[in-house]
Amino acid sequence: MLTVGSVVLGVSDVQRAAAFWTATLGYVPREEIADDWVVLVPAEGTGVQLSLGLSETPVQELPRVHLDLYAGDAADQAAEVERLLGLGAQRVDWAYYPDDADFVVLADTEGNRFCVIDTGRP
């Protein structure tokens, strides 16, 4: 049986991306950060790893794969979005929001899209 070992993001600056994602998720580097690769792991316990690999390919405006980060409710979501913006994330002008969207689309310091989800809705 297979399991997900790591989600991999292509980045143009591994150090910058590692700084953003460690602050965002409370993760730590599994080993020393190299110029072209790092694997980030939860500081406490187990969980999905996030690997950052040097990439020269352009960021996809409409990525087929992205991260969903869960917040507890609308207030938590709003607070987390503001915290992430303070860490260097950017709001994405997303034309595809449904009327009752429970998510906010942001981009990390490398332009990779991700969502912050309000999981407090039924």
Side-chain angles (χ1 to χ4, degrees):
M1 176 174 199
L2 296 174
T3 60
V4 175
S6 190
V7 175
V8 180
L9 292 179
V11 300
S12 60
D13 184 328
V14 173
Q15 294 284 338
R16 178 179 60 199
F20 175 81
W21 287 108
T22 56
T24 294
L25 299 173
Y27 276 31
V28 296
R30 187 177 67 188
E31 295 99 15
E32 187 174 332
I33 300 173
D35 290 338
D36 63 348
W37 183 256
V38 66
V39 177
L40 304 176
V41 297
E44 297 181 19
T46 59
V48 175
Q49 299 179 144
L50 180 62
S51 300
L52 306 171
L54 188 63
S55 175
E56 295 180 10
T57 59
V59 173
Q60 291 180 317
E61 187 172 327
L62 299 173
R64 294 181 67 163
V65 177
H66 66 274
L67 299 177
D68 280 351
L69 306 181
Y70 288 0
D73 59 23
D76 291 339
Q77 179 189 45
E80 287 295 341
V81 166
E82 290 307 311
R83 183 178 74 86
L84 296 169
L85 293 171
L87 292 173
Q90 295 183 352
R91 289 187 183 274
V92 173
D93 186 17
W94 192 253
Y96 305 102
Y97 281 116
D99 290 336
D100 61 345
D102 62 351
F103 63 95
V104 175
V105 181
L106 298 177
D108 69 7
T109 55
E110 300 292 311
N112 293 306
R113 309 289 170 87
F114 65 96
C115 296
V116 180
I117 311 295
D118 168 4
T119 60
R121 292 187 184 190

